[in-house]
Amino acid sequence: MSSILRTQVLRTAVRSLATATRSQIQVTPARLTVAARSYTSAAAPAPLKSNISSTSSAVVSSTKDLIINSQRIVAGAVVSRQPLILRDLTPFEKEYFLYQKNLERDHAAAFGAEFYFKKGSVAERRWKQQEAERQAAAASGASSTSTGAKGSRSSKGAEAVQDEVTEEDRVAALEAKIQFNDRITDADRKNDVRSLERALARTLYLIVKKPREQHAWQFPQGGVRVCENLQEATGRELAEECGSNMDLWFVGRVPIGHYQYNFPKDFVAKSSNTAVKGAKVFFMKAHIFAGQVQVDNKEVVDFAWVTKQEMKDYVAPEYYEAVKDMLSDF
Amino acid sequence: MSSPFARTALTKATSLMRAGGSSAIPKKGGGNSLNGEPRNDLIKKVLFDAPPRPPVRLSPEDMTRHETIERAWKLVRQQQKQAQEEGLARKFEMMRKANAELEATSAQLFKHSQTKERHAVFPRQLRTLTDTPPKQIWNYRQPAAAPSPKA
């Protein structure tokens, strides 16, 4: 009797416990659900969320230009496309690395081929071939320069037994062929300065052309408004002049350089506000990760992505002298 | 004399050998091997019985040649690093002058420029440099279809 009671008590206890825990689990708060993330690397990934910080002053936005001490405050953009591939090695670097490789091989401990290669396998046969070639090269007196093994290997392959050749072919067919893409692109060959695929080992900077004779080429720039900060102004001006099809990331809020100039006399006379005598440009740094410039053909008629050295051929000499130290040599 | 690390390595080796090797009952197949695997003997031979690297012997001419090459390399690396440092110093000087000018110009703009973003992170799109470019070198995104009406 007591056992029956005990089991009944136990059963009810378990049931109540289960219901208690179940109710707790059912009350899952919303924060426990994980937001769905797509980890698939699509061909066209989602555009970068702009990292421009808005000024916290919640005043009604005005389009009035910021003018201090009869100088217009202007925000300029130094948009750079960072290098995509490693730089080319200098001839001395190539020779030195080759020298080190040969030195290391000459003084290395004995290699246990019987451990790493299965007896009678294709890989073992290839290794023995390569070793024989290396011995021959070393014996013939090539001290630092290594001979190309590919030519001799193909000739040796032709002399091989029929069975070995077919096995080699079978293994070669199974192996994945690694294709390396060219470091020199079509844009390099055509010298297309508007392309972002040119000079992959160098940093490219954006310069735009204004429809005028003097000082036509320069970094994109525009006046800062009274309720704006420098980052906001730069972002706005870039969107207006160069389109919004650019994935930009601003490198902090700190300006990287400045440039001061006075307007020509006739420009001051023609302009609406004759009190403004000149402009002070503060340059903000940004990286482009995707997209391309789309000129508005009103303020800006052309654009180019150029290296620091090539910029000399585009911009005015005094402008280049003023801005060159902001730019990477590489 | 011998470091504690060498001692532990030796004891580890011998214990491994003892664990694998000395069994009183003779086994079929692999002889004195752990789990009857002759490959383990080979592995132990390669790891513990391999002869040490022979010392590098260079003739005096080879030695001077090697030293000259090393000195030239160090010199070239030093020049490269110096050039990099000079470039960075020029950039920093430009930045410092710009910030001094901004401070003198507008207190509001300067204050915003000096306050750092609290939760700033590096963008994922910052690409690691490789020897050769990818198949799709640059993503020329298409612009958005139409601007939203609430803009």
Side-chain angles (χ1 to χ4, degrees):
Chain A
M1 189 194 71
S2 60
S3 62
I4 297 164
L5 257 174
R6 211 183 301 126
T7 50
Q8 272 181 350
V9 163
L10 272 168
R11 232 180 263 140
T12 48
V14 164
R15 221 178 289 129
S16 62
L17 204 73
T19 49
T21 48
R22 219 181 292 131
S23 63
Q24 273 176 11
I25 289 161
Q26 274 166 356
V27 173
T28 311
R31 60 183 157 80
L32 281 181
T33 58
V34 176
R37 275 188 192 202
S38 67
Y39 288 102
T40 55
S41 56
L48 182 70
K49 200 173 138 206
S50 163
N51 70 328
I52 296 173
S53 59
S54 59
T55 313
S56 57
S57 62
V59 189
V60 172
S61 61
S62 86
T63 55
K64 224 172 85 157
D65 281 333
L66 181 64
I67 297 165
I68 296 170
N69 293 340
S70 74
Q71 301 242 299
R72 189 183 303 159
I73 307 300
V74 176
V78 177
V79 187
S80 66
R81 188 228 66 190
Q82 296 293 95
L84 301 176
I85 55 175
L86 293 165
R87 64 171 174 86
D88 300 307
L89 294 174
T90 61
F92 177 63
E93 281 174 339
K94 281 188 197 142
E95 283 295 323
Y96 180 76
F97 291 146
L98 200 63
Y99 170 75
Q100 284 290 328
K101 192 167 88 164
N102 287 320
L103 199 68
E104 187 69 27
R105 189 190 291 144
D106 291 344
H107 298 287
F111 174 68
E114 74 279 359
F115 175 70
Y116 287 104
F117 295 113
K118 193 171 170 186
K119 197 171 148 186
S121 68
V122 171
E124 193 196 24
R125 211 174 301 125
R126 277 194 194 152
W127 172 259
K128 285 201 173 133
Q129 245 172 33
Q130 284 172 24
E131 270 300 296
E133 279 155 21
R134 272 192 277 266
Q135 300 287 349
S140 70
S143 54
S144 300
T145 56
S146 66
T147 54
K150 281 189 191 133
S152 41
R153 204 188 301 151
S154 58
S155 65
K156 283 211 170 99
E159 296 163 9
V161 185
Q162 193 62 29
D163 294 336
E164 290 177 8
V165 165
T166 51
E167 204 191 326
E168 287 267 4
D169 291 341
R170 187 182 59 80
V171 169
L174 287 170
E175 281 175 351
K177 293 276 182 288
I178 301 169
Q179 291 282 334
F180 292 115
N181 296 318
D182 214 357
R183 285 168 66 97
I184 314 277
T185 57
D186 283 334
D188 281 312
R189 283 183 273 267
K190 286 184 247 172
N191 204 26
D192 179 17
V193 285
R194 293 197 194 91
S195 169
L196 280 155
E197 297 179 5
R198 194 175 68 92
L200 296 177
R202 304 290 311 277
T203 312
L204 295 180
Y205 295 100
L206 174 65
I207 44 171
V208 291
K209 185 176 181 183
K210 296 215 156 150
R212 60 185 180 210
E213 290 295 317
Q214 296 280 323
H215 296 80
W217 289 95
Q218 60 179 100
F219 288 121
Q221 66 179 53
V224 180
R225 293 178 185 161
V226 284
C227 308
E228 263 183 343
N229 59 60
L230 283 173
Q231 225 185 32
E232 270 181 328
T234 317
R236 182 182 50 77
E237 283 300 326
L238 275 172
E240 283 173 15
E241 291 182 4
C242 304
S244 40
N245 186 29
M246 286 199 288
D247 243 347
L248 293 172
W249 186 79
F250 281 86
V251 184
R253 305 176 180 179
V254 176
I256 58 166
H258 80 290
Y259 178 56
Q260 213 159 325
Y261 62 95
N262 295 321
F263 296 144
K265 294 276 165 49
D266 54 344
F267 181 82
V268 177
K270 273 193 293 178
S271 71
S272 51
N273 190 355
T274 49
V276 184
K277 297 276 183 279
K280 217 182 267 187
V281 192
F282 290 98
F283 294 104
M284 301 298 286
K285 189 167 179 177
H287 293 319
I288 181 171
F289 292 125
Q292 179 61 290
V293 172
Q294 286 164 342
V295 290
D296 64 348
N297 286 315
K298 286 196 287 282
E299 280 184 56
V300 159
V301 292
D302 200 7
F303 69 98
W305 291 94
V306 291
T307 61
K308 180 182 173 180
Q309 284 74 28
E310 288 164 5
M311 204 181 288
K312 235 184 283 187
D313 304 326
Y314 287 82
V315 301
E318 59 267 22
Y319 190 80
Y320 181 75
E321 285 304 311
V323 304
K324 68 174 163 62
D325 287 338
M326 289 192 297
L327 312 177
S328 302
D329 285 321
F330 235 91
Chain B
M1 215 181 76
S2 57
S3 75
F5 303 102
R7 235 178 288 131
T8 49
L10 259 173
T11 49
K12 267 195 196 145
T14 48
S15 63
L16 254 173
M17 299 286 236
R18 229 180 288 128
S22 62
S23 49
I25 310 149
K27 290 200 189 103
K28 286 186 200 167
N32 288 347
S33 345
L34 190 67
N35 300 329
E37 290 272 348
R39 285 185 298 179
N40 287 328
D41 283 340
L42 188 56
I43 292 169
K44 274 180 267 178
K45 195 179 94 171
V46 168
L47 286 175
F48 306 119
D49 295 346
R53 218 167 127 143
V56 174
R57 297 258 178 264
L58 289 176
S59 65
E61 299 88 37
D62 280 343
M63 203 58 189
T64 46
R65 200 181 299 133
H66 177 75
E67 277 175 3
T68 314
I69 291 169
E70 288 293 329
R71 275 178 60 203
W73 175 250
K74 286 183 172 78
L75 192 66
V76 164
R77 286 292 295 148
Q78 194 182 39
Q79 287 167 350
Q80 282 174 353
K81 284 208 171 107
Q82 191 68 28
Q84 269 177 8
E85 286 297 317
E86 281 166 10
L88 285 175
R90 281 194 293 268
K91 280 185 182 170
F92 185 79
E93 187 57 27
M94 280 283 279
M95 196 170 76
R96 191 193 61 76
K97 282 196 274 205
N99 279 275
E101 186 68 37
L102 189 64
E103 189 175 15
T105 306
S106 158
Q108 194 187 19
L109 287 178
F110 180 71
K111 185 163 172 263
H112 179 265
S113 76
Q114 299 308 305
T115 49
K116 284 189 195 285
E117 196 187 323
R118 260 179 161 256
H119 306 290
V121 287
F122 276 101
R124 275 192 210 132
Q125 282 90 334
L126 265 176
R127 201 188 123 82
T128 318
L129 299 184
T130 48
D131 272 324
T132 49
K135 280 204 195 89
Q136 190 205 26
I137 299 175
W138 191 261
N139 178 19
Y140 295 96
R141 283 196 300 116
Q142 287 307 308
S148 55
K150 62 179 154 98

